[in-house]
Amino acid sequence: MLHESNAYRKRVKPLAADGATGSKKPPTRRSRAVAAKRSNIMSAALEFFSLYGMHGTSLDQVAERADVSKTNLLYYFPSKEELYVAVLKDLLDIWLEPLKALNAEQQPMEAIKQYIYLKLCVSRDHPQASRLFCLEMLQGAPLLKQVLSTHLKQLVDEKSDIIREWVQAGQIAPIEPLHLLFILWATTQHYADFGVQIEAISGQTLNDDAFFEQAVANIQHIIAQGIRPVG
């Protein structure tokens, strides 16, 4: 399997809070301090937003949890809506990282299995982010709709073309890529979005290594059987 040891457990990391992805210049002490402060505020905000939504969360709560004054928080994020959108965009980067890793050079079965593994890593390592994303979707994505219809759609179109190439080459069964992706999203994200239900029924969570490995292996097997080439 692709995930035999704990040492291999690849953790999907969010982007830097300031959006930097690899500047050539080393960060200054001030820029590191600013990035750390923003990150602390966004982490505190995610905790409350994922539980109570934007309207049920106050900036006072976030400031207290982040150990900053409300005035200082407003210096970095001038309004609660701007803070909420910043958190949503950051978690969207986390959510999309596994899909970005899927590429045409991979063997189809191994690519899909790896995607399942990485998506379950996201559900395990960032359950609050997954739940907040789910909450935003249930509310009609009022603050993310434009991002979903542009950036997300472009990425999904690109990866769907790769899956269609695999279908045309006879490497996987004749399936509609979008429905495969929808199934994979629903299956893997269920472990984060309905984590309380899963723990109540099984007594375990994805933080239990054996249960995580079991979930990965079973989902990989079920999906692989469904997309195996016909004949």
Side-chain angles (χ1 to χ4, degrees), residues 65-219:
R65 184 57 54 89
D67 195 25
V68 299
S69 68
K70 184 176 179 180
T71 300
N72 195 222
L73 185 155
L74 290 171
Y75 171 79
Y76 291 97
F77 301 97
S79 69
K80 184 167 65 172
E81 183 172 295
E82 287 192 37
L83 174 58
Y84 185 72
V85 170
V87 171
L88 284 176
K89 288 183 177 179
D90 192 63
L91 70 86
L92 186 60
D93 286 328
I94 297 170
W95 192 77
L96 291 179
E97 201 63 35
L99 187 58
K100 291 177 182 177
L102 191 147
N103 65 80
E105 285 69 42
Q106 297 173 291
Q107 289 296 316
M109 287 297 181
E110 291 306 303
I112 297 300
K113 287 182 178 181
Q114 180 73 349
Y115 181 61
I116 291 169
Y117 169 71
L118 293 177
K119 283 289 289 175
L120 283 170
C121 282
V122 172
S123 287
R124 177 194 63 195
D125 301 339
H126 304 283
Q128 290 178 325
S130 182
R131 287 193 288 269
L132 178 56
F133 187 81
C134 178
L135 182 60
E136 177 69 8
M137 296 305 102
L138 290 174
Q139 294 174 344
L143 298 177
L144 265 190
K145 190 168 293 184
Q146 184 176 1
V147 176
L148 296 178
S149 61
T150 54
H151 179 62
L152 175 60
K153 185 179 186 305
Q154 181 180 353
L155 181 62
V156 169
D157 286 346
E158 175 188 326
K159 301 307 179 179
S160 293
D161 287 341
I162 293 174
I163 297 173
R164 288 192 185 92
E165 290 176 5
W166 291 339
V167 170
Q168 292 169 1
Q171 294 176 289
I172 61 175
I175 57 173
E176 167 52 48
L178 284 180
H179 294 298
L180 173 61
L181 291 175
F182 294 158
I183 289 170
L184 293 176
W185 293 349
T187 304
T188 55
Q189 288 161 221
H190 179 85
Y191 287 85
D193 301 340
F194 291 84
V196 173
Q197 174 181 275
I198 287 175
E199 185 173 12
I201 293 171
S202 69
Q204 296 172 297
T205 72
L206 291 184
N207 287 315
D208 301 310
D209 290 345
F211 187 71
F212 176 83
E213 296 289 336
Q214 185 184 73
V216 171
N218 277 273
I219 296 173

Side-chain angles (χ1 to χ4, degrees), residues 15-57:
L15 295 182
D18 61 358
T21 57
S23 174
K24 294 181 180 180
K25 294 182 180 180
T28 65
R29 180 180 300 178
R30 184 179 184 282
S31 66
R32 288 196 299 269
V34 168
K37 186 68 67 69
R38 285 176 58 89
S39 180
N40 287 341
I41 293 171
M42 290 173 68
S43 294
L46 173 59
E47 181 179 343
F48 287 105
F49 287 150
S50 66
L51 289 173
Y52 310 116
M54 184 179 74
H55 298 296
T57 298

